[in-house]
Amino acid sequence: MEMEKELEQFRQEAQRLKAGRRSGSLPFPEALRAFAVRYAEHTVATGGTVTDAAQKLGVSGPTLYEWRKGRPAGRPRPKPAEKSAALVPVHVGERPAQAAGAGLQQVALVSPSGWRVEGLSVEAAAQLLGRLGC
């Protein structure tokens, strides 16, 4: 019963906050987000879904999911760390010559990110690695 009373207070406060402003222009106060998360957890624990809770709260499902993750809705998600442009060590492997009796050994250079340089002689591969500073 207490939860229903708090739900009604939440809806009134949310309606007041939404009045006269653009959608998503201001984040909900922390206390309101905390109640919404508590209400969602209660709804799920009693057999409902987060979507059910969002509908009763009067907020979107994605907004409630973000609040449950601890992020205010409308804020950008953290970006994954960008890959460094620095060179990384590569594995140099030898393989026998394709044509029998060719007498030349060729190597393939394979980087950790997956690019390959094939068909180099051992000397050419050593020169390339030297120029790359490996």
Side-chain angles (χ1 to χ4, degrees), residues 12-86:
Q12 289 174 2
E13 185 63 19
Q15 199 170 32
R16 186 185 69 74
L17 287 170
K18 289 179 183 178
R21 72 178 176 111
R22 292 178 306 155
S23 177
S25 62
L26 293 173
F28 276 58
E30 179 60 36
L32 287 180
R33 292 194 312 260
F35 170 75
V37 169
R38 236 180 36 251
Y39 185 78
E41 298 300 329
H42 170 76
T43 302
V44 170
T46 57
T49 65
V50 175
T51 303
D52 296 335
Q55 288 174 344
K56 288 184 180 179
L57 289 163
V59 299
S60 73
T63 292
L64 189 51
Y65 277 105
E66 291 298 311
W67 288 352
R68 289 181 75 210
K69 291 179 188 175
R71 292 192 297 259
R75 299 267 173 95
R77 292 182 179 173
K79 293 181 181 178
E82 292 187 26
K83 292 184 179 181
S84 171

